[in-house]
Amino acid sequence: MVDTAKIKGQLEVMLDEVIVELERIAHYDKTTGDWVAKPDGGEVGEADENVEADVVEEWNERRAIVAQLETRFNNIKRALKKIEGGTFGTCEISGEPIEEDRLAANPAARTCKAHMNDEGQLPL
Ligand SMILES: [Zn+2]
């Protein structure tokens, strides 16, 4: 039996942590519900090509990090909603219960172990 009260507490801590990380490099668009990477606040106006290439690279990296954090953010929010709705701990692909050790490692997991590699294919 999954202790959802305990997991809810864990998820809330995880959500706070991911929001702190996101707020450092992104801002939340309330209209779309998306996190948008902030442009780098660093030195602007350097015409040096190498600097520009670095800036573009940093920007791409930043967006990749935001995308990862945003997935985590969405998964945590979804897991909290599932607890409210009483569907927590069920694999979104097979409908089977998610293994307890998988939930212990990642309370925001959306699938059982058999389908963990397909989790990325699920709609957001
Ligand atoms: Zn499954």
Side-chain angles (χ1 to χ4, degrees), residues 1-38:
M1 188 59 206
V2 181
D3 184 349
T4 49
K6 185 176 154 206
I7 288 177
K8 186 168 183 236
Q10 289 173 341
L11 285 164
E12 281 165 351
V13 171
M14 286 166 67
L15 187 63
D16 284 345
E17 284 170 358
V18 79
I19 288 173
V20 167
E21 282 188 62
L22 273 163
E23 279 178 341
R24 236 182 275 156
I25 53 172
H27 70 88
Y28 188 62
D29 186 330
K30 287 198 183 75
T31 320
T32 60
D34 286 328
W35 288 90
V36 183
K38 286 180 194 166

Side-chain angles (χ1 to χ4, degrees), residues 90-99 110-116:
T90 303
C91 172
E92 289 184 32
I93 293 175
S94 60
E96 296 289 320
I98 302 175
E99 295 82 356
R110 301 175 67 182
T111 61
C112 69
K113 285 180 191 168
H115 298 107
M116 61 194 289

